Amino acid sequence: MSAFSYADRAFYPPPVQPFTSPPNPILDALAALARYIPAEGLALYIAIAAFAAQIPWLVVVGLIAALALTALIVIVKWADARSNLPESERPSGRMLALTLVVILVALVIYVSALAGNPVTSGFPNGTVVGGVAVLIAAAFLSILGPRMGLERRS
């Protein structure tokens, strides 16, 4: 190879082929479910679970902290939406309770599909149970979420 071809290759690197993996319906459903859950709650649980993977009680504390943070975010967003709307269009407290329950259950279902989670650790095939729950929850949220007014991150 000549010096010119080396210089040409350095200036114009060969195109990188993107890595393609086979489609995975569980990962697609996890991504769809995660769009309804506040990212801060997911990030808090994943950070604590990664830090304390060998300490089971600390992972449970991380899940409780993630649930509390997620509930706080939902309540603050609800209060903000309520204060910015006219009286006739304000969401009710019943809608807050329903939204809170749906999002917290979605968070628990999301966590149940991750390895080493405290939710399904007692089952022999815990992550399989969590994966099936994620598929069902993602299907229901894709139908019920827009009707309930749940915001979906992009």
Side-chain angles (χ1 to χ4, degrees):
M1 199 176 256
S2 69
F4 178 75
S5 60
Y6 278 122
D8 191 40
R9 179 174 271 177
F11 190 70
Y12 300 108
V16 177
Q17 296 296 324
F19 176 74
T20 57
S21 62
N24 188 338
I26 302 293
L27 291 180
D28 294 341
L30 273 173
L33 190 61
R35 289 188 184 111
Y36 288 102
I37 303 168
E40 296 84 358
L42 284 175
L44 179 65
Y45 172 75
I46 291 171
I48 291 175
F51 176 74
Q54 304 301 321
I55 309 169
W57 65 269
L58 196 52
V59 176
V60 173
V61 169
L63 178 59
I64 293 169
L67 288 170
L69 180 64
T70 300
L72 180 67
I73 290 168
V74 169
I75 291 169
V76 166
K77 284 182 74 174
W78 176 81
D80 183 47
R82 188 170 166 84
S83 66
N84 291 333
L85 292 174
E87 187 70 34
S88 61
E89 297 177 13
R90 289 184 178 176
S92 65
R94 182 177 294 160
M95 184 55 81
L96 169 66
L98 182 62
T99 303
L100 197 58
V101 166
V102 167
I103 289 178
L104 292 179
V105 167
L107 177 61
V108 170
I109 290 172
Y110 185 91
V111 167
S112 72
L114 301 177
N117 69 77
V119 180
T120 59
S121 60
F123 293 105
N125 293 325
T127 54
V128 173
V129 172
V132 171
V134 164
L135 288 172
I136 294 169
F140 277 115
L141 269 180
S142 67
I143 295 167
L144 296 176
R147 293 188 178 143
M148 289 178 54
L150 291 177
E151 293 179 19
R152 192 176 164 189
R153 287 190 325 266
S154 54

